[in-house]
Amino acid sequence: AVRTKREEYKEFALGYEEFLGVYSTDKLDAEDVLDTCVTETINLGTGVVEVTTCKDKRVVHKYNPLTKKYEREVKEIYNGPRWYHFPIEDFWIRTGQQDVQTAPWCGKELRLSWSQIKDMAFAGEINPECLKRLYHMPETEADHNESLKEQDKIEKVEPHDLEEFRLFELSVRWDADGDGLDEELMVYYHEASNTVMRRKFNTFRNSRRPWVVFRNKRIPHRFYGEGVAEMLEQLQDEISTMHNQRLDNATIANLQIILVTRLIRGLSPGDRLWTGKIVKVQDVQKDVGTLRLGEIYPSTVNNENIARSYARELSG
């Protein structure tokens, strides 16, 4: 929302507000970013968004009707601000630290295909001369089933597009020029080959790091917040246990075994049971009796509903 205290600027304020709305939806994908970030924050307690700038350049070939040839051209697809959400499991921070701005280091883990790494090198994000050091060092296989392996072999893709490389993008406080004062650096690091892919000074305003942290329920002196999943974990186990026990007990209660008298053994460990099975036992008050293995307890429904009410009150 944009507001102004001066009457003559009112129409400009409304136009600027409309422009920001269109830009945030069309260029920044605000709705998608907030959708995933808010959902993860509520469920897991913590979400991290990176606010940065991005330059995306691609090589395109255009047909020149005069020369009747395709001409190579580097086209800038995007150059401007960008923010995106990534899984909290990919965010790294030193144990015991609570603030991303004051921690000695923090950053995120990147899982990239070979094509994505080449795009980063082309855009100037990493040093192209370092690519050959990690060319044959993929670390993970993403859903690499047999059919995809065979397809990769047929297409002769190397490194395989299904294989991913693990890089770290870190914000580090370090004395880079040896003057005794620490500077804020951004470092791209490949752990498997022990290669620094690029290091640069932090060029953001006031040298602030590009990580913004969201928390569902803040816990004092802890970096990670508490989410609904953690809050309800014990109650969910309790409700699931009572629910499963009631179903299992009802199944067992439906199993009735017929008892008849005979001076031989009845049941032994490991014997199979089924409804209507006849077991010969030595002592039965009547000539024919039944054996019930379980009872149905209606009170478990009330107990489960009580636990569910606790869960609703706890989660709001």
Side-chain angles (χ1 to χ4, degrees):
V2 180
R3 299 291 181 267
T4 178
K5 296 181 179 179
R6 302 182 62 173
E7 287 291 331
E8 60 267 30
Y9 292 150
K10 267 191 175 181
E11 58 182 81
F12 296 101
L14 293 175
Y16 193 54
E17 181 178 321
E18 184 179 354
F19 162 75
L20 289 177
V22 174
Y23 192 87
S24 64
T25 302
D26 186 48
K27 295 292 186 181
L28 300 180
D29 297 326
E31 294 181 0
D32 291 338
V33 173
L34 287 174
D35 183 25
T36 58
C37 180
V38 171
T39 302
E40 183 178 66
T41 302
I42 294 173
N43 289 338
L44 302 183
T46 312
V48 179
V49 169
E50 179 173 349
V51 184
T52 183
T53 58
C54 177
K55 181 184 293 184
D56 191 1
K57 297 188 296 183
R58 301 292 174 87
V59 176
V60 297
H61 290 80
K62 292 185 177 180
Y63 182 74
N64 191 333
L66 298 179
T67 60
K68 297 182 178 180
K69 294 181 179 179
Y70 285 94
E71 297 179 355
R72 185 178 184 273
E73 179 182 347
V74 177
K75 186 176 180 180
E76 188 175 85
I77 298 178
Y78 184 85
N79 187 1
R82 176 165 290 176
W83 68 315
Y84 57 91
H85 169 252
F86 53 91
I88 186 62
E89 63 177 332
D90 290 342
F91 186 75
W92 289 66
I93 189 170
R94 189 176 182 181
T95 303
Q97 298 296 320
Q98 305 169 35
D99 188 359
V100 296
Q101 301 300 333
T102 59
W105 59 265
C106 62
K108 70 177 188 295
E109 179 180 336
L110 300 171
R111 299 181 185 89
L112 305 172
S113 66
W114 182 246
S115 297
Q116 291 173 316
I117 290 179
K118 289 191 294 184
D119 288 342
M120 290 181 64
F122 187 72
E125 292 294 326
I126 59 177
N127 187 359
E129 297 179 358
C130 297
L131 294 185
K132 57 184 178 181
R133 296 195 62 177
L134 61 133
Y135 182 79
H136 292 293
M137 301 186 68
E139 297 180 63
T140 61
E141 294 185 357
D143 299 328
H144 218 168
N145 57 44
E146 293 300 324
S147 61
L148 292 177
K149 287 181 180 180
E150 188 64 27
Q151 183 69 26
D152 245 10
K153 189 183 300 182
I154 295 174
E155 295 178 359
K156 298 181 180 179
V157 179
E158 290 188 5
H160 303 305
D161 280 344
L162 295 177
E163 294 176 337
E164 295 180 334
F165 297 81
R166 198 163 67 116
L167 271 68
F168 292 91
E169 181 184 350
L170 303 173
S171 292
V172 181
R173 188 166 288 111
W174 190 262
D175 184 8
D177 51 12
D179 62 352
L181 299 176
D182 292 340
E183 286 83 25
E184 195 65 44
L185 304 178
M186 295 292 293
V187 177
Y188 284 97
Y189 176 65
H190 184 243
E191 184 181 18
S193 62
N194 194 24
T195 303
V196 175
M197 307 299 295
R198 188 191 177 189
R199 51 183 176 266
K200 62 179 181 179
F201 287 104
N202 187 334
T203 56
F204 295 108
R205 183 180 61 182
N206 299 329
S207 295
R208 290 184 63 83
R209 293 169 176 174
W211 325 113
V212 180
V213 184
F214 299 84
R215 296 177 180 89
N216 179 55
K217 180 181 178 182
R218 183 120 193 193
I219 301 177
H221 310 296
R222 276 183 53 182
F223 173 78
Y224 296 99
E226 186 178 25
V228 173
E230 184 177 355
M231 294 164 58
L232 300 182
E233 182 179 9
Q234 294 182 349
L235 285 172
Q236 183 176 348
D237 289 340
E238 179 182 347
I239 294 171
S240 298
T241 299
M242 288 191 294
H243 185 78
N244 293 331
Q245 286 177 345
R246 188 168 66 253
L247 293 178
D248 294 340
N249 200 30
T251 301
I252 295 176
N254 290 329
L255 178 63
Q256 293 193 17
I257 298 174
I258 301 174
L259 304 178
V260 297
T261 56
R262 186 175 179 181
L263 297 177
I264 62 172
R265 71 174 182 85
L267 291 176
S268 298
D271 288 351
R272 295 184 60 191
L273 302 177
W274 59 84
T275 300
K277 179 176 182 177
I278 299 176
V279 177
K280 298 176 180 180
V281 296
Q282 182 175 353
D283 185 13
V284 179
Q285 294 180 356
K286 301 178 181 179
D287 293 335
V288 178
T290 59
L291 174 62
R292 182 184 293 271
L293 299 180
E295 294 290 341
I296 298 177
Y297 302 99
S299 60
T300 60
V301 178
N302 297 330
N303 295 335
E304 183 179 333
N305 288 331
I306 292 173
R308 289 168 62 90
S309 67
Y310 289 155
R312 283 194 294 266
E313 292 176 6
L314 183 61
S315 63

